[in-house]
Amino acid sequence: MLKKRWIPIFIAKMEGDRLLNVADQRWSKEKLREIRQYTSFKCPICFEEVDLKVGSQITPHFAHQRRNNCDIEVEPESEYHLNGKLQLYNWLQGNKIITDVQLEMYLQQIKQRPDLLFTYENNKIALEYQCSTIGLHLFSKRTKQLKSLVNDVKWVIGAKEIKRLSKNTFRVSPFQWLFIHTANSPKIYSYCANMKAFIILHHIIPFSAQIVFSQSKTYYINNIQYNELVSDSVSYDEVIKEWFRKVHRFRMKPLGFMSKEISFLSEYLYEKKQLSLTMAPSYAFIPLKKAYLIKSSCYHWQTWILLYLDSIPLRMSFSLHEICYFMRNKVVRRETVIGQEHISLVIHEYLKVLAALSLLNNKGKFQFEKIKQINWTKNLYELIDIDRHLKNKLLLLYRT
């Protein structure tokens, strides 16, 4: 006999087609237990029978008795998820600048039921609180379809999924990268139902495809309004300082496992410069504000650009288009993880930073000139000293 798959919801139809929202704070557990003794409930979407679950520990909710006929695509929700969703609903209702807060509103046009819908500054916003991994196809489908009906979609991940490695270092899964790219912002919004707090990773900068640097900040839900949450920002300073501590550790030990593209670069660099990849110039480790658009090791693609610049003479001009063409043919062809649609944005920022550091001269919007030779030193102590000077320059540059 197959085990039933419970699909939790907070709203169901009572007899007479009245809706009961068990997330409404006026309903105590005792009152809900009393109501379920004399009435039955149906899903407002598929009209199948649902059971009202009211336990001593669990959050009151409805659960489908069977899944067969419900149109909506859902995944089982944990108690952590249910509590978080309910807390976010009550929090939004208490925000004076938020109106028309709706919990689990079914959108017939796209057959989706976002966790929360609300209006902020005349914009309709859908908020999805995601505590389990879903596939890229489903994630993209949900986001695209919601955006066809609302002004913005906010994805908030369950905070227990965030893997902290050190104060400013985190391991990011492929699924979590979707949150970053969908928002088109170097932030991950997470919420912890146990702490009743948002934990936001600000200024996400990838060191590799899995390891990112970020300044995390905790916001307790009872002490912050929605507009403060989405507009708050923090300094890059701590991220940059921690970044260069990571660069120092990277230089001090040999490379372990290398992907095909990293291995190819490592061999090429040794052939051309007789250098290990751990001895790449300091300019190959620049943390960029738009770097979140590329899920790739920074020293991988930045070293390739430095090799290209090394091959051209001083005072020679080149365009952003030429660099991007080189990268697509030299790097992307070799199965790099660089995303082609974002590569020009990040490379353009990189070239502008190199110009601010006096390696290049910015001659126009997309035109640059090489004005300084790259130092390919084999002296580790010299290289570490150059790293330190670069860190100090970037701290000043990113404050302006």
Side-chain angles (χ1 to χ4, degrees):
M1 182 176 177
L2 293 175
K3 187 178 180 181
K4 290 181 181 178
R5 184 185 179 193
W6 300 111
I7 308 217
I9 54 177
F10 283 114
I11 300 172
K13 282 191 173 185
M14 302 170 63
E15 294 171 0
D17 283 344
R18 291 177 299 157
L19 290 176
L20 175 63
N21 180 357
V22 296
D24 194 322
Q25 292 182 315
R26 63 180 171 148
W27 300 116
S28 66
K29 288 188 176 182
E30 292 73 20
K31 184 62 177 178
L32 291 174
R33 290 190 185 101
E34 179 185 333
I35 291 173
R36 74 178 177 184
Q37 290 180 354
Y38 61 80
T39 189
S40 59
F41 308 96
K42 291 184 179 180
C43 171
I45 300 167
C46 65
F47 306 109
E48 293 284 345
E49 287 191 8
V50 292
D51 293 327
L52 175 55
K53 305 283 186 178
V54 187
S56 58
Q57 300 296 324
I58 65 171
T59 303
H61 64 276
F62 298 100
H64 285 74
Q65 293 181 358
R66 52 182 175 272
R67 173 73 174 91
N68 299 340
N69 299 318
C70 200
D71 288 334
I72 194 162
E73 295 183 74
V74 296
E75 59 279 346
E77 295 181 359
S78 65
E79 183 67 14
Y80 180 88
H81 187 175
L82 289 171
N83 278 333
K85 188 194 300 188
L86 181 57
Q87 290 166 17
L88 292 170
Y89 171 64
N90 291 329
W91 172 66
L92 287 171
Q93 283 193 315
N95 272 243
K96 296 178 181 178
I97 54 174
I98 299 293
T99 59
D100 194 24
V101 183
Q102 298 176 79
L103 177 68
E104 297 179 345
M105 177 69 178
Y106 182 60
L107 305 176
Q108 178 65 44
Q109 306 97 308
I110 57 175
K111 296 184 177 180
Q112 280 187 231
R113 186 192 63 186
D115 289 329
L116 293 156
L117 281 174
F118 59 95
T119 301
Y120 169 62
E121 294 185 341
N122 296 320
N123 291 315
K124 197 72 174 176
I125 298 172
L127 188 152
E128 291 280 29
Y129 181 49
Q130 194 66 36
C131 295
S132 59
T133 299
I134 59 176
L136 170 60
H137 173 74
L138 180 56
F139 184 91
S140 300
K141 176 185 173 184
R142 284 187 184 179
T143 304
K144 182 179 179 180
Q145 291 185 334
L146 282 170
K147 284 186 174 180
S148 70
L149 297 179
V150 301
N151 300 102
D152 194 14
V153 179
K154 296 289 186 186
W155 285 90
V156 178
I157 194 171
K160 64 180 182 178
E161 301 300 319
I162 301 295
K163 306 300 181 186
R164 186 190 293 268
L165 302 179
S166 68
K167 181 181 178 183
N168 298 104
T169 314
F170 301 83
R171 185 180 300 279
V172 176
S173 70
F175 176 63
Q176 290 163 1
W177 273 111
L178 297 177
F179 283 70
I180 302 169
H181 289 162
T182 299
N184 195 27
S185 169
K187 288 184 182 182
I188 289 181
Y189 287 87
S190 71
Y191 181 73
C192 179
N194 297 332
M195 292 174 58
K196 296 185 178 179
F198 293 95
I199 301 170
I200 300 181
L201 304 189
H202 293 270
H203 306 316
I204 290 172
I205 306 173
F207 189 84
S208 69
Q210 293 183 324
I211 307 302
V212 302
F213 285 80
S214 175
Q215 181 71 35
S216 68
K217 191 171 179 181
T218 300
Y219 306 81
Y220 290 95
I221 197 169
N222 293 329
N223 298 331
I224 194 164
Q225 295 286 300
Y226 178 81
N227 61 317
E228 297 170 327
L229 184 74
V230 297
S231 63
D232 192 36
S233 62
V234 298
S235 168
Y236 270 87
D237 285 14
E238 283 303 314
V239 178
I240 293 173
K241 291 174 184 176
E242 181 69 19
W243 173 277
F244 279 96
R245 284 192 282 268
K246 173 67 175 178
V247 173
H248 181 78
R249 294 192 295 271
F250 177 82
R251 295 200 186 283
M252 298 304 290
K253 62 181 183 179
L255 287 174
F257 170 79
M258 290 185 283
S259 62
K260 274 197 264 185
E261 54 271 9
I262 295 293
S263 180
F264 177 80
L265 172 60
S266 182
E267 292 172 9
Y268 186 88
L269 184 63
Y270 191 80
E271 176 187 339
K272 296 294 183 183
K273 299 294 181 181
Q274 292 74 55
L275 285 174
S276 161
L277 192 50
T278 61
M279 295 287 288
S282 300
Y283 291 134
F285 297 91
I286 294 181
L288 300 168
K289 295 183 179 181
K290 288 189 174 70
Y292 70 94
L293 293 172
I294 294 182
K295 189 180 72 172
S296 178
S297 304
C298 67
Y299 56 86
H300 176 215
W301 62 270
Q302 291 184 16
T303 299
W304 276 115
I305 292 179
L306 293 178
L307 286 166
Y308 176 87
L309 295 176
D310 190 66
S311 69
I312 64 176
L314 285 174
R315 298 300 173 183
M316 180 175 175
S317 296
F318 60 92
S319 68
L320 172 65
H321 175 77
E322 291 173 71
I323 295 282
C324 291
Y325 180 81
F326 165 80
M327 293 295 285
R328 290 189 180 101
N329 284 276
K330 191 71 175 180
V331 184
V332 175
R333 185 180 60 186
R334 298 183 181 278
E335 301 178 5
T336 181
V337 291
I338 292 178
Q340 292 202 38
E341 64 181 299
H342 299 308
I343 190 172
S344 62
L345 292 173
V346 187
I347 290 176
H348 192 208
E349 182 189 1
Y350 180 58
L351 296 177
K352 288 195 293 184
V353 172
L354 291 182
L357 295 170
S358 303
L359 182 68
L360 305 176
N361 181 22
N362 194 342
K363 299 190 68 177
K365 189 174 182 181
F366 301 115
Q367 292 290 323
F368 297 87
E369 175 188 32
K370 178 181 171 182
I371 58 174
K372 183 180 177 182
Q373 296 288 8
I374 298 164
N375 184 2
W376 300 87
T377 180
K378 295 180 174 66
N379 186 315
L380 177 60
Y381 297 104
E382 180 185 358
L383 194 55
I384 290 173
D385 192 52
I386 296 171
D387 288 343
R388 181 174 58 83
H389 285 291
L390 176 61
K391 177 191 70 175
N392 292 333
K393 288 179 181 178
L394 290 175
L395 285 170
L396 291 173
L397 178 63
Y398 286 175
R399 286 172 189 163
T400 59

